[in-house]
Amino acid sequence: MTKTVVDGVLRAVKKVRGGVKVDHHKNTAHKKVERLPIPSKVVIPMQQHIGAPCEPVVKVGDVVAVGQLIGDTDKYISAPIHASVSGTVVAVGDVKMPNGTMSKAVTIESDGEMRLWEGIKPPVVETREDLIKAVRDSGLVGLGGAGFPTHVKLNFPADKNIDTLIINAAECEPFITVDYRECVENSKNILAGVYLLKKMLGFKQVIICIEDNKPDAFGVLKDIADHEQDVYDEVKLMVLESKYPQGAEKMMVQSATGRKVPPGKLPADVGCVVMNVASVAFIARYVRTGKPLISRSITVDGSAIKKPNNIRVPIGTNIGEIIDFCGGFSKEPCKILTGGPMMGLAIVGTDLPILKQNNAILAFAKDDAVLKDETDCIRCGRCAIACPMSLMPTNIVRAAKAKDVDMLNHAGITVCMECGSCAFACPAGKPLVQHMRLAKAILREEGKK
Amino acid sequence: MVNGKKLVVSASPHLRTKTTTTKIMLDVIIALIPALVASVIFFGPKTLLVTAVTVATAVLSEYIARKVMKRHNTIGDLSAVVTGLILALNLPVNVPLWIAAIGSVVAIIVVKQFFGGIGQNFANPAITARIVLLLSFATHMSGSEWVAPLSWLGKADAVTTATPLALYGKEGAVIPTLFDMFIGNRAGSLGETCTVALLIGGIYLIARKVISFKIPVAYLGSFALIMLIAGFVKEDSVGAALEYTAYQLMSGGLMLGAFFMATDYSTSPINTDGKYIFGVGCGIITALIRLFGSLPEGVSFAILIMNLLVPHIEKITTPKPFGTPKKEKKAKEADAK
């Protein structure tokens, strides 16, 4: 891919420190998103977001239709769950989640008809409150991977002086190409979403950020930025250096505005809201059709996958079924991930459901799955150079070993976002992210005493 | 489980750099080859013998020390080879081989393994070993024992001479030209004389991102600045001061020290600011010893002294976590006091 940049785009206001150069492996960039055939069964967990789990509102034997509400809660930080196929509820109970925890789930046996629920109708969105209610009803969570309920993110107090909406199309994780495909295939929805959010929430500027390894998306995003609706030229495209973790929220805020989010604070505290590009497109689609979040695009790739592809799958589809659709395994799989290779989760098997926030399934053969042996730390400092948050991982490891809470706090462990740059850069093969998580756990434990 | 086989489950990230400790050490060895070749040219094949002894003793010491301490074997990381190599380059060619061997034992067992092995030692093994040898075997390590370059080619017995640093400024002394200094045609330790070979090695390490340019640049820069002033005070002319500075830069073990010993990971700061402070400190101490000390050379002592200060330098230069507000920074600093 060339690195030419179209005219009239912004470059980073303030470049991100550290980070690592990771091979992109965007093998599926040219693959149009295909639809998975209707699965015979879906398992839809009630916990698919950061926050409180939903309670099932259907029972075994109920006949449900596509888009019908099956789980909800009155807790604020949460997002409702909808049926992704039409059919009969055959089970309501605990299932194992990809991360090893248990969650309540609704299992629906598909009737193969994908009959839409009659209650689906486009929401009326005239005010800011309408929009936030609509976003909540849609069940939307951040589609970039974290799964934070979007309505919470958008429902900032009106007096908070939020002036900037940052659209994250960086997709800095290797292998994953669904956001890129969203830009290329669904630019109309992105366009509508950008101007809807800008109008309803009163952003003074919108900055669409993308990495410079996706030149084919520059044009369509530039068209959005240059659209006639943008009367005062407040929507801009920014092309960022391809570097991991360019797409991390705090990094994105710094690149786009030069502002730094303080430790323990959110982008909203410095006047910014960061949204994944697919989430923005989804909001526009929901406002137009009223169809809630019942399917999503994922990249299926890795050295053990026979036919890497981008696929649109109903939420709750069995991961094994998705891999089978991609031709199954070409080699014996040794490690399977949901999400990207830098922050994704290694799963114990394929008999697990796909969740709202999953953006990829990656399966690796032995050569790519077994990490190098751990050797002694040589104090080379590559971890500290790589850390985008200016932390010193070696100090944190030492403090964690000594269970020294003061030193952990002083070293800023809570700022760590577990991006994995340190562990990637470590020539001694230290599992530094594991150490960081341990350090956080120690801080929580000791804090209780 | 997939097809009845267990999957690997590990914490993210699932990608790792291809760089390993062994590859880093291999790069350092490659970077030292020009200096080694130059010293074979100027000081003869005995260079290789001295190097073989220090390297072999270093590796053997490491192996035995790890075995005795019941720790995993680390000779595969090649760091002992690097220590042996650098130590050899710090020795005169006519050093008795048993002294060279003692140097390696001190470097690996006393300085490195007693403190926990690679990454744990607080002082540079090769430098400390060199200082131990210098103090224990002064006549063999310095003084009038230096062999004149290229004398191994002549039929006569080895011609002894003094190093340029010892000669400089003495009346009637014939000192090498700047060009000779640059290519290494002068008396001195095996690997320290050929400036061009050391520069090639240093630039290779920087280009390969094994070391950062910060320590060598801060070291050589601060040293050159002081020498420029000193030269001007001495000679009272800019031209002469420049010549004096160039001479000083290429003398002694400065180039070897700045690129290969001051940049040692274990014994230099990790942070950018720390690296600059460390380098400038080395430069100042080296200059002071050369200008005012009773020893002709100060690189080893300068680096060793700065090695001891590394924990303190790191303490004051650790960056604040991303986004820490300025006010809080000050408050935290006040807390620390």
Side-chain angles (χ1 to χ4, degrees), chain B residues 161-179:
Chain B
T161 179
T163 63
L165 262 186
L167 290 172
Y168 197 90
K170 283 199 181 133
E171 273 193 43
V174 181
I175 59 164
T177 62
L178 278 179
F179 179 72

Side-chain angles (χ1 to χ4, degrees), chain A residues 149-310:
Chain A
T150 308
H151 70 96
V152 180
K153 192 184 256 189
L154 296 181
N155 196 15
F156 48 83
D159 60 350
K160 206 152 189 195
N161 201 18
I162 307 278
D163 57 1
T164 307
L165 172 65
I166 298 166
I167 312 279
N168 187 351
E171 204 162 52
C172 59
E173 275 267 14
F175 291 98
I176 307 176
T177 58
V178 282
D179 285 351
Y180 168 75
R181 292 312 307 177
E182 192 77 25
C183 295
V184 176
E185 295 176 28
N186 280 324
S187 64
K188 271 189 187 154
N189 282 330
I190 302 172
L191 173 88
V194 164
Y195 290 100
L196 176 73
L197 288 168
K198 183 170 178 296
K199 187 175 143 205
M200 288 298 159
L201 299 171
F203 295 109
K204 291 197 185 66
Q205 59 171 348
V206 181
I207 302 170
I208 307 168
C209 294
I210 190 162
E211 283 191 341
D212 60 11
N213 64 348
K214 305 170 191 77
D216 293 348
F218 295 168
V220 288
L221 295 178
K222 188 72 172 53
D223 287 346
I224 293 172
D226 290 345
H227 196 262
E228 58 190 20
Q229 287 184 52
D230 185 22
V231 187
Y232 301 105
D233 194 24
E234 291 163 330
V235 182
K236 295 269 171 48
L237 172 63
M238 179 177 278
V239 174
L240 303 169
E241 181 194 357
S242 300
K243 175 170 95 169
Y244 182 86
Q246 192 70 264
E249 208 169 48
K250 287 184 175 183
M251 304 297 101
M252 198 111 274
V253 170
Q254 186 187 1
S255 298
T257 64
R259 300 171 200 168
K260 284 190 173 186
V261 181
K265 302 279 180 177
L266 295 169
D269 294 298
V270 292
C272 297
V273 167
V274 184
M275 284 188 76
N276 171 273
V277 69
S279 303
V280 173
F282 171 82
I283 291 176
R285 204 180 303 136
Y286 179 75
V287 169
R288 202 177 64 240
T289 65
K291 231 170 119 177
L293 184 62
I294 49 157
S295 67
R296 66 155 301 148
S297 300
I298 59 166
T299 296
V300 184
D301 200 352
S303 55
I305 296 286
K306 200 172 262 172
K307 288 187 278 179
N309 207 346
N310 289 314

